[in-house]
Structures are given as structure tokens and as C-alpha cells.
Amino acid sequence: MAVKKNIKQKEIQIQKPAQSLTAFQRKVSSGSIDDNPYLLKRLLITGAVVIATLALMVFWNMWRNHKIEQHETALSALITEVEGRLSNPLPFEEKAQRMRNALPRLEEIAQKAPSNRKDVAEGLLFAWKLQLEDPSGSLPTPTDPWSRLRLAQRSIALGNAVEAQEILSVLHKDAKPNNAWSQIYWSALLRVRQLEGNREQALKDFAEYRKIFKGKADLREMEQVLNAI
């Protein structure tokens, strides 16, 4: 029994208690940590890296938000310049001429667009080019979403809300964020509601758009159209 007791005491003596946080803090405050310059250097480097990383993340988020706001402001201003007063839609030919004049600026905006806004800007650019190919001639039967949007926007410019709605209705179920043309669809749909003077339905469409797109929603142009109804 005496032998077993001695063995147990030896096992207990071998196990060293882990250093507690309080003990470590006392060691730091007493200056004894200075006895280990390597440890002190490592702590300082780790702290500097953490602070630098946090500062970089904050700066990156601020820069990205600034770029997105700058892009949306420029795009909204260009659309407003082309569309004129939303409460008084322009004749198709006048609007087409404004689009031609503004096309180089839209190309530049699309080229410089932030990655999470590039699809929308490029989609709008493509839609403009489709409309300007032959604004006065006959249009082909739509074969894809872009050609269908082209027809719908022409009908809107001519003030034909019923025809535009019929053309757009086919696209509704697929007008999701994963399709580059979706933003153009929702914008066109609200302009149809504007032609109809149907603010109640426009608000429902706007609510559905915000629900589907969530953080990707581009609200400025849509809210301008709503305010004009």
C-alpha cells in the first residue's frame, strides 16, 4: 500500500497546472514577460497584423460602397437625361436620338461598373443597342428575352401599354437575379404601370422585385417611376 501511495504522489507531482489567464496577466503587468523577448516580439507582430487586417477590411468596404454609389448615381443620371420627365414620356424618335447621344457614356459606365452591378449595366447597354439598330423599321418576332425586351420597350415608347404587357408577361417567371436582363424587365414593367396609371399594381410589382432581388435591388430608377405614377 505504501508503494502505491508513493507512485500516486509522483504522478501528481509530474502534472503541472496550466497557466491561468490571471497568472499570465500578472506576469505581463509585473514586467517579467520582458525576460522573453521572442514572446514579446511575437505578441506585438500578431497584434499589428490583426489591426492592419481590420483596417484593410474597413477601408475596402468603404471604397467598394463608394464605387457602387458612384456607379448608381452616374447610371441614374444618364437614364433620367434620356427619359426626360417621367410624367410626360418622350416621343419615340426623340428618345432614340437621346439614346444615341448618350450611348458612348453608357458604354463607359458599363465598362467601369463594379462586379456586382456589371450585369445590369451591360444588360441596359445591350437593350439600348437593340432598340437603336432600326428604330423606325419593322421588328422581328422575339426569339429570346433580349429581343422581347426590345419589342416591349418600343411599345412603351409608343405609349402602347397593353401590347408591352403582353410581350413582357412571358418573361415574368424567369426575371430573377441570375439573368442579366432581369433588371431591364422590372424597369420596363413599372413603366407599363406608369402608362396605365396603375399605382396600386406598380407598388405590388415593386414589392415583388425587392423580395426577389433583396440586396441586389437597384431602387433609384424604380422609385423615380413610382413617384411619377
Side-chain angles (χ1 to χ4, degrees), residues 13 28 41 103 109 115 139 147 185 193 221:
Q13 289 173 359
V28 172
K41 183 178 180 180
L103 193 60
I109 289 173
S115 58
L139 297 176
S147 59
Y185 164 82
R193 304 307 181 204
E221 182 190 359

Side-chain angles (χ1 to χ4, degrees), residues 75-91:
L75 187 60
S76 178
L78 185 64
I79 292 173
T80 301
E81 179 183 323
V82 169
E83 298 288 349
R85 295 175 57 189
L86 296 176
S87 57
N88 186 22
L90 296 171

Side-chain angles (χ1 to χ4, degrees), residues 108-124:
E108 183 179 0
I109 289 173
Q111 184 179 5
K112 296 180 179 179
S115 58
N116 59 346
R117 297 293 190 273
K118 188 170 285 292
D119 284 348
V120 173
E122 289 181 347
L124 181 60

Side-chain angles (χ1 to χ4, degrees), residues 212-223:
I212 292 173
F213 278 73
K214 296 181 181 178
K216 298 180 180 179
D218 185 3
L219 304 180
R220 293 193 180 190
E221 182 190 359
M222 310 283 275
E223 288 174 344

Side-chain angles (χ1 to χ4, degrees), residues 45-57:
I45 292 174
T46 302
V49 169
V50 170
I51 292 172
T53 302
L54 291 174
L56 183 61
M57 290 174 61

Side-chain angles (χ1 to χ4, degrees), residues 78 81-82 94-106 128 132:
L78 185 64
E81 179 183 323
V82 169
E94 184 178 348
K95 179 182 174 181
Q97 185 58 49
R98 291 190 181 190
M99 290 169 66
R100 289 190 193 94
N101 295 338
L103 193 60
R105 289 160 57 196
L106 180 58
W128 278 26
L132 293 174

Side-chain angles (χ1 to χ4, degrees), residues 26-45:
R26 284 201 301 267
K27 190 175 180 181
V28 172
S29 61
S30 66
S32 58
I33 196 171
D34 293 339
D35 297 337
N36 190 341
Y38 174 74
L39 177 59
L40 179 60
K41 183 178 180 180
R42 188 170 63 179
L43 289 173
L44 290 174
I45 292 174

